[in-house]
Amino acid sequence: EVQLVESGGGLVQAGGSLRVSCAASGFTFEDYAIGWFRQAPGKGREGVSCIRSSDGLTYYGDSVKGRFTISSDNAKNTVYLQMNSLKPEDTAVYYCAADAPARYYCSGWGIANEYGYWGQGTQVTVSS
């Protein structure tokens, strides 16, 4: 059974940093792409970043490029999203998602929307 468990969300002031984690189980980690998405109240889901642990390819949405960094620890089957220089508009529920083949769900062109497996989400709130 595929399971994705996010952790690390919380409340931070604007300009601060936060790291969220996604612990994965139930599938071959290196075969899958892991994506981070977020959804703010009243807004649609936004693709934030993704990573292919098999070859290290990463992708970032324009709104977070240069501020967020995605990484993976293959030994722990965990993906991290380091968020720096946070802004109030980064406030959202952050979800990690997984699916294969990794080259489709995370590519140099972006993050596919239709990931099949999702975590429960973790709230990130940035105060001004």
Side-chain angles (χ1 to χ4, degrees):
E1 179 187 6
V2 173
Q3 285 194 321
L4 301 167
V5 180
E6 301 97 333
S7 61
L11 174 65
V12 64
Q13 288 189 329
S17 298
L18 206 59
R19 189 179 78 164
V20 291
S21 303
C22 173
S25 62
F27 59 94
T28 303
F29 192 67
E30 290 79 5
D31 291 342
Y32 279 62
I34 304 292
W36 281 101
F37 295 79
R38 66 186 182 185
Q39 188 160 20
K43 295 189 176 181
R45 188 174 63 196
E46 176 188 8
V48 174
S49 182
C50 66
I51 188 167
R52 298 189 325 215
S53 60
S54 59
D55 59 8
L57 183 137
T58 59
Y59 175 86
Y60 297 93
D62 289 341
S63 61
V64 305
K65 204 171 292 185
R67 300 187 298 122
F68 289 13
T69 302
I70 192 170
S71 62
S72 68
D73 184 335
N74 291 5
K76 296 182 178 180
N77 282 10
T78 299
V79 170
Y80 305 97
L81 185 68
Q82 177 67 43
M83 303 181 289
N84 298 331
S85 302
L86 282 161
K87 305 174 182 179
E89 51 264 44
D90 293 318
T91 295
V93 178
Y94 283 70
Y95 299 91
C96 70
D99 216 322
R103 66 182 180 277
Y104 170 76
Y105 287 93
C106 180
S107 73
W109 291 275
I111 312 168
N113 286 329
E114 63 273 26
Y115 278 69
Y117 303 100
W118 293 83
Q120 82 286 351
T122 186
Q123 176 70 47
V124 172
T125 302
V126 184
S127 62
S128 57

